[in-house]
Amino acid sequence: MFETIQGEGVYTGVPAVFVRLQGCPVGCPWCDTKHTWELDENMIDSVDAVINKAAESERYFGISELGLLALFEQQRYQAKHVVLTGGEPCMYDLTDLTELLHEHGYTTQIETSGAFEVRCAKETWVTVSPKINMKGGYDILTSALERANEIKHPIAMQKHIDELDALLSRLDAVPGIICLQPISQQPRATELAIKTCIERNWRLSLQTHKYVGIA
């Protein structure tokens, strides 16, 4: 858990508290948070140890919804936007947490692969980054795509755009905001994303936090 600036998608540039939930069976090969994949009780640590760790590790802490809200105040976070990510946050029912945060003046956002049902407050902004044909073997749920406020699709080549088109063809109504995000900031991927966004009036999502060197 940490306070930073959101670097991707519609909320790019917004101060945010990131809460990374532990556990993800999807298995994206380019994932830059592989330390969040495994659920291992031996890796559970104290809140202070996890928040203050100097480098990424598989250690994590457990806490209740009210405890997490209190922790925000203890840490004196100024950001009022909370991003629930992972790992795969939608492995969990996030309804109580997101409703509690909204009741206390926060906005909330979930970043999910689309492999699990999205359970959250109706006001929560849902970002689906569909992870297609990954090692874990999970299908992208139509219900997750239908709940999405934005679809933020990682691409490296034309086949990734074709895969997104196939997903969108399932829907009666396509979400109003579709962002293409070049994988690992590759120049060819970036050029393809720019070209496609112009052609289709979609949005380009760059991982700006990597460009400016923040978490």
Side-chain angles (χ1 to χ4, degrees), residues 107-142:
T107 57
T108 61
Q109 177 181 1
I110 293 172
E111 296 185 342
T112 176
S113 66
F116 292 83
E117 181 183 354
V118 181
R119 296 168 290 175
C120 62
K122 67 181 189 311
E123 301 91 349
T124 297
W125 182 271
V126 176
T127 301
V128 175
S129 292
K131 304 304 191 295
I132 303 165
N133 296 326
M134 294 296 116
K135 183 178 179 181
Y138 286 82
D139 292 328
I140 307 303
L141 300 183
T142 300

mmCIF file of all heavy atoms in Angstrom, residues 107-142:
data_model
loop_
_atom_site.group_PDB
_atom_site.id
_atom_site.type_symbol
_atom_site.label_atom_id
_atom_site.label_comp_id
_atom_site.label_asym_id
_atom_site.label_seq_id
_atom_site.Cartn_x
_atom_site.Cartn_y
_atom_site.Cartn_z
ATOM 1 N N THR A 107 -13.036 8.328 -3.772
ATOM 2 C CA THR A 107 -13.445 7.670 -4.999
ATOM 3 C C THR A 107 -12.631 6.387 -5.111
ATOM 4 O O THR A 107 -11.534 6.289 -4.552
ATOM 5 C CB THR A 107 -13.201 8.548 -6.236
ATOM 6 O OG1 THR A 107 -11.807 8.909 -6.300
ATOM 7 C CG2 THR A 107 -14.053 9.799 -6.176
ATOM 8 N N THR A 108 -13.167 5.399 -5.817
ATOM 9 C CA THR A 108 -12.475 4.123 -5.911
ATOM 10 C C THR A 108 -12.367 3.664 -7.353
ATOM 11 O O THR A 108 -13.203 4.003 -8.204
ATOM 12 C CB THR A 108 -13.184 3.022 -5.086
ATOM 13 O OG1 THR A 108 -14.518 2.834 -5.589
ATOM 14 C CG2 THR A 108 -13.227 3.374 -3.616
ATOM 15 N N GLN A 109 -11.327 2.895 -7.596
ATOM 16 C CA GLN A 109 -11.068 2.341 -8.919
ATOM 17 C C GLN A 109 -10.546 0.921 -8.741
ATOM 18 O O GLN A 109 -9.730 0.655 -7.848
ATOM 19 C CB GLN A 109 -10.029 3.192 -9.657
ATOM 20 C CG GLN A 109 -9.625 2.666 -11.032
ATOM 21 C CD GLN A 109 -8.561 3.545 -11.693
ATOM 22 O OE1 GLN A 109 -8.107 4.536 -11.112
ATOM 23 N NE2 GLN A 109 -8.164 3.183 -12.900
ATOM 24 N N ILE A 110 -11.013 0.024 -9.568
ATOM 25 C CA ILE A 110 -10.514 -1.353 -9.579
ATOM 26 C C ILE A 110 -9.826 -1.598 -10.910
ATOM 27 O O ILE A 110 -10.354 -1.253 -11.963
ATOM 28 C CB ILE A 110 -11.653 -2.368 -9.381
ATOM 29 C CG1 ILE A 110 -12.237 -2.256 -7.973
ATOM 30 C CG2 ILE A 110 -11.169 -3.796 -9.639
ATOM 31 C CD1 ILE A 110 -13.483 -3.081 -7.767
ATOM 32 N N GLU A 111 -8.633 -2.190 -10.850
ATOM 33 C CA GLU A 111 -7.923 -2.600 -12.061
ATOM 34 C C GLU A 111 -7.918 -4.122 -12.101
ATOM 35 O O GLU A 111 -7.309 -4.765 -11.245
ATOM 36 C CB GLU A 111 -6.503 -2.043 -12.058
ATOM 37 C CG GLU A 111 -6.459 -0.516 -12.099
ATOM 38 C CD GLU A 111 -5.050 0.044 -12.211
ATOM 39 O OE1 GLU A 111 -4.095 -0.694 -11.922
ATOM 40 O OE2 GLU A 111 -4.918 1.212 -12.606
ATOM 41 N N THR A 112 -8.595 -4.695 -13.092
ATOM 42 C CA THR A 112 -8.789 -6.132 -13.132
ATOM 43 C C THR A 112 -8.504 -6.696 -14.520
ATOM 44 O O THR A 112 -8.622 -5.989 -15.534
ATOM 45 C CB THR A 112 -10.226 -6.504 -12.710
ATOM 46 O OG1 THR A 112 -10.417 -7.922 -12.859
ATOM 47 C CG2 THR A 112 -11.262 -5.778 -13.543
ATOM 48 N N SER A 113 -8.187 -7.981 -14.547
ATOM 49 C CA SER A 113 -7.912 -8.677 -15.803
ATOM 50 C C SER A 113 -9.179 -9.069 -16.547
ATOM 51 O O SER A 113 -9.121 -9.459 -17.716
ATOM 52 C CB SER A 113 -7.105 -9.941 -15.516
ATOM 53 O OG SER A 113 -7.894 -10.864 -14.760
ATOM 54 N N GLY A 114 -10.324 -9.016 -15.868
ATOM 55 C CA GLY A 114 -11.572 -9.450 -16.471
ATOM 56 C C GLY A 114 -11.835 -10.940 -16.334
ATOM 57 O O GLY A 114 -12.815 -11.458 -16.866
ATOM 58 N N ALA A 115 -10.975 -11.634 -15.591
ATOM 59 C CA ALA A 115 -11.109 -13.086 -15.439
ATOM 60 C C ALA A 115 -12.047 -13.482 -14.305
ATOM 61 O O ALA A 115 -12.391 -14.662 -14.181
ATOM 62 C CB ALA A 115 -9.735 -13.712 -15.220
ATOM 63 N N PHE A 116 -12.458 -12.515 -13.486
ATOM 64 C CA PHE A 116 -13.320 -12.794 -12.341
ATOM 65 C C PHE A 116 -14.489 -11.809 -12.323
ATOM 66 O O PHE A 116 -14.383 -10.695 -12.849
ATOM 67 C CB PHE A 116 -12.529 -12.674 -11.029
ATOM 68 C CG PHE A 116 -11.488 -13.729 -10.844
ATOM 69 C CD1 PHE A 116 -10.237 -13.600 -11.419
ATOM 70 C CD2 PHE A 116 -11.760 -14.876 -10.098
ATOM 71 C CE1 PHE A 116 -9.266 -14.573 -11.263
ATOM 72 C CE2 PHE A 116 -10.804 -15.863 -9.933
ATOM 73 C CZ PHE A 116 -9.552 -15.722 -10.521
ATOM 74 N N GLU A 117 -15.571 -12.224 -11.707
ATOM 75 C CA GLU A 117 -16.728 -11.338 -11.558
ATOM 76 C C GLU A 117 -16.337 -10.097 -10.776
ATOM 77 O O GLU A 117 -15.610 -10.179 -9.775
ATOM 78 C CB GLU A 117 -17.853 -12.077 -10.833
ATOM 79 C CG GLU A 117 -19.117 -11.255 -10.653
ATOM 80 C CD GLU A 117 -20.180 -11.986 -9.858
ATOM 81 O OE1 GLU A 117 -19.977 -13.173 -9.533
ATOM 82 O OE2 GLU A 117 -21.212 -11.353 -9.556
ATOM 83 N N VAL A 118 -16.821 -8.948 -11.211
ATOM 84 C CA VAL A 118 -16.524 -7.689 -10.534
ATOM 85 C C VAL A 118 -17.609 -7.417 -9.505
ATOM 86 O O VAL A 118 -18.784 -7.219 -9.853
ATOM 87 C CB VAL A 118 -16.444 -6.527 -11.541
ATOM 88 C CG1 VAL A 118 -16.109 -5.226 -10.816
ATOM 89 C CG2 VAL A 118 -15.418 -6.829 -12.629
ATOM 90 N N ARG A 119 -17.218 -7.403 -8.227
ATOM 91 C CA ARG A 119 -18.160 -7.161 -7.138
ATOM 92 C C ARG A 119 -17.702 -5.931 -6.371
ATOM 93 O O ARG A 119 -16.693 -5.971 -5.669
ATOM 94 C CB ARG A 119 -18.243 -8.386 -6.234
ATOM 95 C CG ARG A 119 -18.804 -9.641 -6.934
ATOM 96 C CD ARG A 119 -18.607 -10.891 -6.126
ATOM 97 N NE ARG A 119 -17.197 -11.277 -6.064
ATOM 98 C CZ ARG A 119 -16.722 -12.286 -5.349
ATOM 99 N NH1 ARG A 119 -17.540 -12.997 -4.582
ATOM 100 N NH2 ARG A 119 -15.435 -12.572 -5.368
ATOM 101 N N CYS A 120 -18.438 -4.837 -6.518
ATOM 102 C CA CYS A 120 -18.016 -3.571 -5.920
ATOM 103 C C CYS A 120 -19.196 -2.609 -5.875
ATOM 104 O O CYS A 120 -20.288 -2.910 -6.361
ATOM 105 C CB CYS A 120 -16.870 -2.959 -6.737
ATOM 106 S SG CYS A 120 -17.338 -2.565 -8.445
ATOM 107 N N ALA A 121 -18.953 -1.434 -5.298
ATOM 108 C CA ALA A 121 -19.976 -0.378 -5.254
ATOM 109 C C ALA A 121 -20.307 0.084 -6.669
ATOM 110 O O ALA A 121 -19.451 0.049 -7.562
ATOM 111 C CB ALA A 121 -19.472 0.797 -4.422
ATOM 112 N N LYS A 122 -21.518 0.534 -6.864
ATOM 113 C CA LYS A 122 -21.937 0.969 -8.201
ATOM 114 C C LYS A 122 -21.158 2.200 -8.655
ATOM 115 O O LYS A 122 -21.005 2.446 -9.855
ATOM 116 C CB LYS A 122 -23.437 1.239 -8.231
ATOM 117 C CG LYS A 122 -23.930 2.405 -7.407
ATOM 118 C CD LYS A 122 -25.445 2.544 -7.504
ATOM 119 C CE LYS A 122 -26.004 3.804 -6.880
ATOM 120 N NZ LYS A 122 -25.530 4.088 -5.538
ATOM 121 N N GLU A 123 -20.633 2.987 -7.703
ATOM 122 C CA GLU A 123 -19.885 4.199 -8.061
ATOM 123 C C GLU A 123 -18.428 3.913 -8.440
ATOM 124 O O GLU A 123 -17.730 4.791 -8.946
ATOM 125 C CB GLU A 123 -19.888 5.192 -6.884
ATOM 126 C CG GLU A 123 -21.259 5.638 -6.432
ATOM 127 C CD GLU A 123 -21.844 4.756 -5.332
ATOM 128 O OE1 GLU A 123 -21.263 3.675 -5.061
ATOM 129 O OE2 GLU A 123 -22.863 5.157 -4.737
ATOM 130 N N THR A 124 -17.956 2.721 -8.164
ATOM 131 C CA THR A 124 -16.551 2.394 -8.413
ATOM 132 C C THR A 124 -16.244 2.413 -9.908
ATOM 133 O O THR A 124 -16.991 1.867 -10.719
ATOM 134 C CB THR A 124 -16.216 1.005 -7.846
ATOM 135 O OG1 THR A 124 -16.395 1.023 -6.425
ATOM 136 C CG2 THR A 124 -14.773 0.606 -8.155
ATOM 137 N N TRP A 125 -15.124 3.051 -10.258
ATOM 138 C CA TRP A 125 -14.656 3.065 -11.640
ATOM 139 C C TRP A 125 -13.909 1.751 -11.892
ATOM 140 O O TRP A 125 -12.953 1.426 -11.204
ATOM 141 C CB TRP A 125 -13.726 4.250 -11.874
ATOM 142 C CG TRP A 125 -13.229 4.387 -13.279
ATOM 143 C CD1 TRP A 125 -12.111 3.825 -13.823
ATOM 144 C CD2 TRP A 125 -13.840 5.145 -14.331
ATOM 145 N NE1 TRP A 125 -11.972 4.171 -15.134
ATOM 146 C CE2 TRP A 125 -13.022 4.985 -15.484
ATOM 147 C CE3 TRP A 125 -14.986 5.934 -14.416
ATOM 148 C CZ2 TRP A 125 -13.322 5.602 -16.701
ATOM 149 C CZ3 TRP A 125 -15.281 6.545 -15.629
ATOM 150 C CH2 TRP A 125 -14.456 6.384 -16.748
ATOM 151 N N VAL A 126 -14.363 0.993 -12.865
ATOM 152 C CA VAL A 126 -13.776 -0.313 -13.152
ATOM 153 C C VAL A 126 -12.965 -0.245 -14.444
ATOM 154 O O VAL A 126 -13.501 0.081 -15.513
ATOM 155 C CB VAL A 126 -14.854 -1.402 -13.255
ATOM 156 C CG1 VAL A 126 -14.224 -2.747 -13.647
ATOM 157 C CG2 VAL A 126 -15.592 -1.538 -11.926
ATOM 158 N N THR A 127 -11.684 -0.535 -14.316
ATOM 159 C CA THR A 127 -10.780 -0.609 -15.447
ATOM 160 C C THR A 127 -10.488 -2.077 -15.740
ATOM 161 O O THR A 127 -9.897 -2.773 -14.909
ATOM 162 C CB THR A 127 -9.459 0.123 -15.147
ATOM 163 O OG1 THR A 127 -9.728 1.496 -14.839
ATOM 164 C CG2 THR A 127 -8.507 0.041 -16.334
ATOM 165 N N VAL A 128 -10.933 -2.549 -16.878
ATOM 166 C CA VAL A 128 -10.660 -3.926 -17.282
ATOM 167 C C VAL A 128 -9.524 -3.920 -18.298
ATOM 168 O O VAL A 128 -9.617 -3.286 -19.346
ATOM 169 C CB VAL A 128 -11.901 -4.608 -17.882
ATOM 170 C CG1 VAL A 128 -11.538 -6.005 -18.410
ATOM 171 C CG2 VAL A 128 -13.009 -4.715 -16.843
ATOM 172 N N SER A 129 -8.439 -4.605 -17.942
ATOM 173 C CA SER A 129 -7.332 -4.830 -18.875
ATOM 174 C C SER A 129 -7.357 -6.305 -19.246
ATOM 175 O O SER A 129 -6.748 -7.128 -18.553
ATOM 176 C CB SER A 129 -5.992 -4.451 -18.236
ATOM 177 O OG SER A 129 -5.908 -3.061 -18.023
ATOM 178 N N PRO A 130 -8.093 -6.654 -20.294
ATOM 179 C CA PRO A 130 -8.322 -8.078 -20.573
ATOM 180 C C PRO A 130 -7.029 -8.832 -20.872
ATOM 181 O O PRO A 130 -6.277 -8.455 -21.762
ATOM 182 C CB PRO A 130 -9.258 -8.052 -21.787
ATOM 183 C CG PRO A 130 -9.143 -6.685 -22.358
ATOM 184 C CD PRO A 130 -8.755 -5.774 -21.268
ATOM 185 N N LYS A 131 -6.794 -9.868 -20.090
ATOM 186 C CA LYS A 131 -5.601 -10.692 -20.257
ATOM 187 C C LYS A 131 -6.031 -11.988 -20.956
ATOM 188 O O LYS A 131 -6.610 -12.876 -20.337
ATOM 189 C CB LYS A 131 -4.957 -10.964 -18.902
ATOM 190 C CG LYS A 131 -4.599 -9.696 -18.108
ATOM 191 C CD LYS A 131 -3.691 -8.763 -18.911
ATOM 192 C CE LYS A 131 -3.106 -7.633 -18.063
ATOM 193 N NZ LYS A 131 -4.098 -6.694 -17.552
ATOM 194 N N ILE A 132 -5.734 -12.066 -22.236
ATOM 195 C CA ILE A 132 -6.264 -13.110 -23.107
ATOM 196 C C ILE A 132 -5.224 -14.207 -23.320
ATOM 197 O O ILE A 132 -4.046 -13.921 -23.572
ATOM 198 C CB ILE A 132 -6.674 -12.493 -24.463
ATOM 199 C CG1 ILE A 132 -7.690 -11.371 -24.236
ATOM 200 C CG2 ILE A 132 -7.234 -13.549 -25.400
ATOM 201 C CD1 ILE A 132 -7.889 -10.473 -25.433
ATOM 202 N N ASN A 133 -5.661 -15.460 -23.210
ATOM 203 C CA ASN A 133 -4.794 -16.619 -23.473
ATOM 204 C C ASN A 133 -3.533 -16.610 -22.617
ATOM 205 O O ASN A 133 -2.433 -16.894 -23.100
ATOM 206 C CB ASN A 133 -4.413 -16.678 -24.967
ATOM 207 C CG ASN A 133 -5.612 -16.893 -25.853
ATOM 208 O OD1 ASN A 133 -6.568 -17.581 -25.479
ATOM 209 N ND2 ASN A 133 -5.587 -16.301 -27.046
ATOM 210 N N MET A 134 -3.703 -16.299 -21.353
ATOM 211 C CA MET A 134 -2.576 -16.318 -20.440
ATOM 212 C C MET A 134 -2.362 -17.727 -19.874
ATOM 213 O O MET A 134 -3.197 -18.615 -20.037
ATOM 214 C CB MET A 134 -2.809 -15.322 -19.297
ATOM 215 C CG MET A 134 -2.827 -13.870 -19.733
ATOM 216 S SD MET A 134 -1.254 -13.296 -20.396
ATOM 217 C CE MET A 134 -1.703 -12.918 -22.082
ATOM 218 N N LYS A 135 -1.245 -17.901 -19.202
ATOM 219 C CA LYS A 135 -0.833 -19.209 -18.693
ATOM 220 C C LYS A 135 -1.887 -19.833 -17.783
ATOM 221 O O LYS A 135 -2.079 -21.059 -17.764
ATOM 222 C CB LYS A 135 0.492 -19.074 -17.948
ATOM 223 C CG LYS A 135 1.071 -20.375 -17.429
ATOM 224 C CD LYS A 135 2.408 -20.135 -16.740
ATOM 225 C CE LYS A 135 2.980 -21.437 -16.196
ATOM 226 N NZ LYS A 135 4.283 -21.194 -15.497
ATOM 227 N N GLY A 136 -2.596 -19.000 -17.015
ATOM 228 C CA GLY A 136 -3.578 -19.522 -16.066
ATOM 229 C C GLY A 136 -4.796 -20.136 -16.720
ATOM 230 O O GLY A 136 -5.552 -20.866 -16.067
ATOM 231 N N GLY A 137 -5.041 -19.838 -17.993
ATOM 232 C CA GLY A 137 -6.131 -20.450 -18.722
ATOM 233 C C GLY A 137 -7.507 -19.864 -18.458
ATOM 234 O O GLY A 137 -8.527 -20.503 -18.748
ATOM 235 N N TYR A 138 -7.574 -18.657 -17.933
ATOM 236 C CA TYR A 138 -8.865 -18.040 -17.613
ATOM 237 C C TYR A 138 -9.446 -17.325 -18.831
ATOM 238 O O TYR A 138 -8.735 -16.659 -19.580
ATOM 239 C CB TYR A 138 -8.716 -17.028 -16.471
ATOM 240 C CG TYR A 138 -8.519 -17.667 -15.124
ATOM 241 C CD1 TYR A 138 -7.257 -18.100 -14.715
ATOM 242 C CD2 TYR A 138 -9.583 -17.860 -14.256
ATOM 243 C CE1 TYR A 138 -7.071 -18.702 -13.480
ATOM 244 C CE2 TYR A 138 -9.412 -18.452 -13.018
ATOM 245 C CZ TYR A 138 -8.150 -18.872 -12.645
ATOM 246 O OH TYR A 138 -7.969 -19.464 -11.423
ATOM 247 N N ASP A 139 -10.753 -17.465 -19.004
ATOM 248 C CA ASP A 139 -11.467 -16.708 -20.030
ATOM 249 C C ASP A 139 -11.808 -15.321 -19.501
ATOM 250 O O ASP A 139 -11.920 -15.109 -18.284
ATOM 251 C CB ASP A 139 -12.760 -17.428 -20.420
ATOM 252 C CG ASP A 139 -12.507 -18.737 -21.149
ATOM 253 O OD1 ASP A 139 -11.485 -18.820 -21.864
ATOM 254 O OD2 ASP A 139 -13.318 -19.664 -20.986
ATOM 255 N N ILE A 140 -11.992 -14.379 -20.410
ATOM 256 C CA ILE A 140 -12.448 -13.049 -20.029
ATOM 257 C C ILE A 140 -13.971 -13.089 -19.933
ATOM 258 O O ILE A 140 -14.647 -13.496 -20.883
ATOM 259 C CB ILE A 140 -12.013 -11.992 -21.057
ATOM 260 C CG1 ILE A 140 -10.505 -12.062 -21.297
ATOM 261 C CG2 ILE A 140 -12.436 -10.596 -20.602
ATOM 262 C CD1 ILE A 140 -9.669 -11.905 -20.048
ATOM 263 N N LEU A 141 -14.503 -12.688 -18.793
ATOM 264 C CA LEU A 141 -15.943 -12.761 -18.564
ATOM 265 C C LEU A 141 -16.661 -11.612 -19.273
ATOM 266 O O LEU A 141 -16.270 -10.442 -19.144
ATOM 267 C CB LEU A 141 -16.246 -12.699 -17.072
ATOM 268 C CG LEU A 141 -15.647 -13.808 -16.197
ATOM 269 C CD1 LEU A 141 -16.108 -13.626 -14.758
ATOM 270 C CD2 LEU A 141 -16.022 -15.188 -16.712
ATOM 271 N N THR A 142 -17.714 -11.947 -19.981
ATOM 272 C CA THR A 142 -18.538 -10.907 -20.603
ATOM 273 C C THR A 142 -19.098 -9.962 -19.549
ATOM 274 O O THR A 142 -19.190 -8.748 -19.773
ATOM 275 C CB THR A 142 -19.678 -11.546 -21.405
ATOM 276 O OG1 THR A 142 -19.119 -12.380 -22.433
ATOM 277 C CG2 THR A 142 -20.565 -10.492 -22.047
#
